[in-house]
Amino acid sequence: MDNNIQENQDIMVTGPDPKKIIRTEDDRYGDVVISAYDLHKNFKIYFDKGNQLKEKLLFTKRNRYELHHVLKGLNFEIRRGEAWGLIGENGCGKSTTLKLLTRIMYPDQGEVHVAGRVSSMLELGAGFHPDMSGRENIYTNAAIFGLSRKDIDERIDDIIQFSELGKYIDNPVRTYSSGMYLRLAFSVAINVNAEILFIDEILAVGDANFQSKCFNRLREIKASGTTIVIVSHNLGQIEQICNKTLWLKDGNILAAGPPREVHPKYLQYMSQKRQETMEREQEEKKKKEAEKAAKQKAEPKKEKTAGENDAAKKWEGFKNRWGSREIEMTGITLRGDDGKPKNLFGVGENIKLTLDYKVNSPVKNADFGFGIYRGDGLHIYGTNTRIDQFKDFDISESGHMTLDLKGVNLLAGQYNVDVAIQGFDGKPIDFYKNAAGFEVYSIYRDQGTVRIDHKWDISSMDIQDETSGKDPADKEKALPDSGAEAEGERQE
Amino acid sequence: MNTIKEVWHYREMIAGLVRRDLRGRYKASFLGFLWTFINPLLQLLVYTLVFSVILRSNIEQYYIHLFVALVPWIFFASSMTGGAQCILNMKDMVKKIYFPREVLPLSSSLAAFVNMLFSFIVIFIVLIVSGRGINPVACLYLPLIMIIELILQLGMTLITAGLTVYFRDLQHILGILAQAWMYLTPVVYNIKIVPKGMLPLFYLNPMTPVIQAYRDILYSKVVPDTTTLVRSVTLGVFILVVGELIFRRVQKGFAEEL
């Protein structure tokens, strides 16, 4: 597992050879239907844009612009029947790629070839006329996708049925709720029987029922041999439909491969990034609080309540830390099995918490404690050395403590860790709330709080071990029993 | 060739846009679709008053002489200036959905063309009522010259629609341009009064042979000259090809420019 992630970090630095054409070597798929070679796209960002002739002629200076290199030479080939997902941060070029494939925009360099009838869902309901009825709009909208009247006549019943609009179909579209509007638009786009389908971040349509219906329909479409390209931030959606994920970063392909291989890398990268911003924000917060404290100090204190002198007084500069400070924690780090600090773990991984402390004055009968909370505040687990029947111990010298959490089976989510050093009567010495945080990612879609080891035994079914034959890293990530995964799929 | 095939594929969209254009044109007005007929009639009334009472012309039945040329001219000029907006008006769609962009100028031209056909009903009524009469043989050439004008007009709309996206001023310039162009075309006067030396220049104007053919057919009631027809076809196709070449070039930047 850790070796695996180590490799990923290498990939992150270099990325695949930019000249290499990304393609799938699998004979289940047909000919190449979408191809892009050396795809480049620039955007001109005008400082002060004028479209008028006068402006173009008179204020040549105003036409200064910054050239923004959005795509820097993509190479890929998509074969018939494949489904690809494009992922990446905002502004990485995924939507631009889709616009180039649909010929809404044209590349500045390189070429794009798309063979077959295309339906695109870049924006639903573009071209709807508010005064016309739902039915009339189906005709005009489907016509925009290149369907003839006869084609539409054949499909209109399917479209209306799929949209679940029923008797409202003959009302003007302006009377529709936004959900009805989107449902109608989606129904048209998905029922035009395209050979190639481009989808941009629009699968969040309607309520949960309608969403799962759309998904089933997409699976049907895929099974019938339609080639699909999806841009999404929802990795789960991509995992369900796509056989390949393309991770774009700053206009380059950073990684490409089966979603289950690429997504953990992406999640790790994103959490690293998030941590960086979090740290930056926290630093700023600290700075602000310190400034505030300095200001308060400058002002004469009006009164001192007894509580503030108490053991439970707040740590200076911290909102979420308090105690009498005989002992101070100086560093709290979460580490993986290899001992390297990290904050993203897979379900079932070991987490090692290390804590350094310094002693201001010796303490007798101390204890260490910790608690784990989910991002929404749910208390998952908490204990301390006293509860765990540790022998009492005294702390008189600075040192460190290590806490090994074995096989943390928490499901995907954000978690916070509280760490505390307490005195013999439970008096807080250094109580640090949200001292550390970590994120868990999962490649399965099981639900709840923790994963419970389980095994299925169904007499009428010969369960195969799906994990066999995959690489060891994958096997490690797999559920204890792969039958559970199959079950999860069926629940959908 | 591919473009033609693709545009044909999108015929349902074109039909839809034309319908929407025609229906929307007089929507919410009291007389509605009747305006299609009232408009040319009122124009005729004005011209008759001006040219038979105030500014007398020595051309026999001058108002007809003018009217049979003016209706086709108004179609040409108004759809060239109005069509310039067709890409801008469909901004949201152009930015979000792929379809051959030629669809928009084409449907804008066709809508104007259908409108002109309705005006021709008025022309025929006037020809009969005024006692001028109709030559059925000459009228066989009418559809031909209409198609030629449509081709020419489409070529111009492709150019103006494509360029307006980049230079929004063009829409204002076009109004003046259309007016000047009208006086350089024998619409209000007869080609006969043009000095001989300037004639070759006049024949470079693609609208000259078209207007002449209309006048031959409807006013003079004769079959138009072969040279007039050949000239108009050649110029019309030439403009269309140039228009499409320009349009194809500029349309690549539409999504970014809008």
Side-chain angles (χ1 to χ4, degrees), chain B residues 64-173:
Chain B
I64 295 181
H65 182 273
L66 174 66
F67 194 50
V68 297
L70 195 65
V71 169
W73 173 264
I74 287 174
F75 155 62
F76 176 77
S78 69
S79 69
M80 179 180 77
T81 50
Q85 304 281 339
C86 67
I87 306 285
L88 290 179
N89 289 343
M90 293 289 177
K91 205 170 160 171
D92 291 331
M93 250 159 74
V94 171
K95 274 159 77 178
K96 299 290 181 192
I97 303 178
Y98 172 79
F99 52 87
R101 307 307 188 202
E102 283 85 359
V103 161
L104 294 177
L106 180 60
S107 42
S108 153
S109 288
L110 282 175
F113 184 71
V114 172
N115 222 42
M116 178 181 81
L117 291 184
F118 286 122
S119 302
F120 261 82
I121 298 175
V122 180
I123 290 186
F124 279 115
I125 292 171
V126 168
L127 286 177
I128 292 164
V129 170
S130 67
R132 186 99 207 154
I134 296 163
N135 176 359
V137 180
C139 280
L140 288 178
Y141 287 85
L142 200 56
L144 179 67
I145 197 67
M146 282 174 166
I147 300 289
I148 292 170
E149 194 192 2
L150 178 64
I151 287 172
L152 170 65
Q153 199 281 320
L154 178 60
M156 286 309 299
T157 308
L158 283 171
I159 296 172
T160 57
L163 294 181
T164 305
V165 175
Y166 295 87
F167 311 105
R168 307 275 159 102
D169 283 39
L170 205 58
Q171 47 195 297
H172 307 295
I173 298 170

Side-chain angles (χ1 to χ4, degrees), chain B residues 38-59:
Chain B
I38 298 169
N39 235 339
L41 267 177
L42 287 177
Q43 277 172 7
L44 183 67
L45 196 71
V46 171
Y47 288 116
T48 313
L49 275 175
V50 172
F51 289 104
S52 53
V53 179
I54 305 163
L55 198 85
R56 284 189 203 155
S57 165
N58 50 5
I59 296 172

Side-chain angles (χ1 to χ4, degrees), chain A residues 433-448:
Chain A
K433 218 169 157 43
N434 299 343
F438 63 95
E439 187 174 344
V440 176
Y441 66 84
S442 173
I443 46 177
Y444 297 107
R445 290 185 295 129
D446 41 357
Q447 306 274 312

Side-chain angles (χ1 to χ4, degrees), chain A residues 248-481:
Chain A
L248 298 184
K249 183 166 183 287
D250 300 332
N252 291 309
I253 297 174
L254 194 62
R260 287 186 176 187
E261 284 174 23
V262 177
H263 291 181
K265 299 177 195 173
Y266 176 67
L267 280 173
Q268 194 194 8
Y269 167 80
M270 288 306 273
S271 86
Q272 267 174 13
K273 245 192 117 147
R274 200 158 43 224
Q275 206 182 341
E276 276 164 28
T277 38
M278 241 160 63
E279 275 167 14
R280 216 177 307 128
E281 275 169 12
Q282 245 163 23
E283 238 162 67
E284 266 165 38
K285 216 166 152 189
K286 266 185 206 166
K287 223 188 263 171
K288 261 185 202 160
E289 273 175 20
E291 274 170 24
K292 220 173 163 184
K295 237 186 213 168
Q296 273 176 354
K297 248 184 200 167
E299 288 168 15
K301 279 191 180 163
K302 281 176 187 166
E303 58 180 304
K304 250 184 184 175
T305 54
E308 265 176 327
N309 275 335
D310 221 20
K313 80 170 179 192
K314 288 259 162 87
W315 222 265
E316 222 160 81
F318 291 95
K319 260 193 184 148
N320 47 2
R321 194 171 176 183
W322 58 85
S324 54
R325 295 181 69 171
E326 282 95 345
I327 304 168
E328 266 180 71
M329 298 189 259
T330 52
I332 298 161
T333 320
L334 300 179
R335 296 168 199 275
D337 274 342
D338 58 356
K340 289 200 172 135
K342 66 176 195 171
N343 288 78
L344 182 78
F345 299 88
V347 176
E349 276 190 59
N350 299 328
I351 300 177
K352 193 181 283 223
L353 183 149
T354 58
L355 162 68
D356 298 317
Y357 56 85
K358 69 170 193 199
V359 175
N360 296 331
S361 59
V363 173
K364 285 194 171 173
N365 288 343
D367 72 66
F368 287 103
F370 78 100
I372 296 177
Y373 292 82
R374 200 165 63 189
D376 60 2
L378 178 73
H379 190 180
I380 307 267
Y381 187 71
T383 189
N384 62 33
T385 47
R386 209 177 299 273
I387 295 170
D388 284 351
Q389 310 281 324
F390 246 64
K391 247 170 78 185
D392 289 351
F393 54 93
D394 305 336
I395 301 176
S396 53
E397 265 174 49
S398 302
H400 48 83
M401 179 275 280
T402 309
L403 173 69
D404 270 321
L405 303 169
K406 291 273 180 221
V408 178
N409 260 334
L410 294 172
L411 293 188
Q414 288 276 2
Y415 297 92
N416 292 316
V417 184
D418 295 358
V419 188
I421 303 172
Q422 295 181 96
F424 70 97
D425 52 358
K427 164 187 100 157
I429 295 171
D430 185 354
F431 199 106
Y432 196 169
K433 218 169 157 43
N434 299 343
F438 63 95
E439 187 174 344
V440 176
Y441 66 84
S442 173
I443 46 177
Y444 297 107
R445 290 185 295 129
D446 41 357
Q447 306 274 312
T449 315
V450 294
R451 176 173 297 157
I452 294 173
D453 271 356
H454 56 289
K455 189 172 162 60
W456 301 85
D457 188 7
I458 300 162
S459 60
S460 63
M461 211 173 123
D462 189 21
I463 298 168
Q464 289 173 348
D465 185 12
E466 278 188 20
T467 53
S468 61
K470 285 186 186 169
D471 66 80
D474 230 43
K475 208 168 183 175
E476 202 177 311
K477 278 184 256 171
L479 278 179
D481 190 329

Side-chain angles (χ1 to χ4, degrees), chain B residues 231-252:
Chain B
R231 265 193 200 122
S232 56
V233 171
T234 318
L235 284 168
V237 171
F238 174 73
I239 296 285
L240 181 63
V241 170
V242 171
E244 168 61 19
L245 288 179
I246 292 177
F247 190 80
R248 191 178 297 178
R249 246 189 97 81
V250 297
Q251 65 104 2
K252 295 193 171 183

Side-chain angles (χ1 to χ4, degrees), chain A residues 90-373:
Chain A
N90 290 328
C92 69
K94 39 187 203 311
S95 292
T96 306
T97 308
L98 216 54
K99 280 186 174 165
L100 291 176
L101 292 181
T102 49
R103 286 182 294 170
I104 289 172
M105 286 181 187
Y106 292 78
D108 289 310
Q109 192 189 318
E111 31 185 322
V112 180
H113 301 283
V114 176
R117 179 148 90 192
V118 171
S119 170
S120 60
M121 297 195 232
L122 303 196
E123 176 150 310
L124 288 172
F128 268 15
H129 197 290
D131 284 333
M132 294 204 288
S133 74
R135 191 187 298 273
E136 283 171 312
N137 269 307
I138 291 176
Y139 276 94
T140 45
N141 207 238
I144 294 171
F145 290 116
L147 262 66
S148 70
R149 198 164 190 86
K150 212 183 90 204
D151 293 333
I152 305 170
D153 283 333
E154 279 169 17
R155 299 196 176 107
I156 186 114
D157 291 333
D158 289 342
I159 294 174
I160 294 172
Q161 205 193 346
F162 193 90
S163 71
E164 297 173 8
L165 283 170
K167 61 184 172 156
Y168 297 108
I169 197 69
D170 290 311
N171 293 0
V173 165
R174 72 184 135 77
T175 62
Y176 286 13
S177 71
S178 56
M180 288 160 79
Y181 188 90
L182 285 173
R183 250 152 53 199
L184 181 66
F186 191 88
S187 306
V188 178
I190 209 161
N191 279 303
V192 296
N193 292 24
E195 287 154 13
I196 296 167
L197 192 58
F198 296 116
I199 305 172
D200 188 359
E201 202 65 71
I202 43 101
L203 285 173
V205 175
D207 53 28
N209 279 339
F210 192 75
Q211 268 187 38
S212 74
K213 193 165 134 182
C214 293
F215 245 91
N216 289 337
R217 179 86 185 119
L218 263 188
R219 282 211 200 87
E220 274 173 47
I221 287 175
K222 197 204 164 189
S224 71
T226 301
T227 312
I228 302 174
V229 180
I230 302 178
V231 163
S232 184
H233 286 291
N234 188 331
L235 301 184
Q237 290 179 346
I238 292 181
E239 268 160 37
Q240 286 177 64
I241 290 184
C242 300
N243 61 299
K244 194 175 216 105
T245 292
L246 218 57
W247 173 10
L248 298 184
K249 183 166 183 287
D250 300 332
N252 291 309
I253 297 174
L254 194 62
R260 287 186 176 187
E261 284 174 23
V262 177
H263 291 181
K265 299 177 195 173
Y266 176 67
L267 280 173
Q268 194 194 8
Y269 167 80
M270 288 306 273
S271 86
Q272 267 174 13
K273 245 192 117 147
R274 200 158 43 224
Q275 206 182 341
E276 276 164 28
T277 38
M278 241 160 63
E279 275 167 14
R280 216 177 307 128
E281 275 169 12
Q282 245 163 23
E283 238 162 67
E284 266 165 38
K285 216 166 152 189
K286 266 185 206 166
K287 223 188 263 171
K288 261 185 202 160
E289 273 175 20
E291 274 170 24
K292 220 173 163 184
K295 237 186 213 168
Q296 273 176 354
K297 248 184 200 167
E299 288 168 15
K301 279 191 180 163
K302 281 176 187 166
E303 58 180 304
K304 250 184 184 175
T305 54
E308 265 176 327
N309 275 335
D310 221 20
K313 80 170 179 192
K314 288 259 162 87
W315 222 265
E316 222 160 81
F318 291 95
K319 260 193 184 148
N320 47 2
R321 194 171 176 183
W322 58 85
S324 54
R325 295 181 69 171
E326 282 95 345
I327 304 168
E328 266 180 71
M329 298 189 259
T330 52
I332 298 161
T333 320
L334 300 179
R335 296 168 199 275
D337 274 342
D338 58 356
K340 289 200 172 135
K342 66 176 195 171
N343 288 78
L344 182 78
F345 299 88
V347 176
E349 276 190 59
N350 299 328
I351 300 177
K352 193 181 283 223
L353 183 149
T354 58
L355 162 68
D356 298 317
Y357 56 85
K358 69 170 193 199
V359 175
N360 296 331
S361 59
V363 173
K364 285 194 171 173
N365 288 343
D367 72 66
F368 287 103
F370 78 100
I372 296 177
Y373 292 82

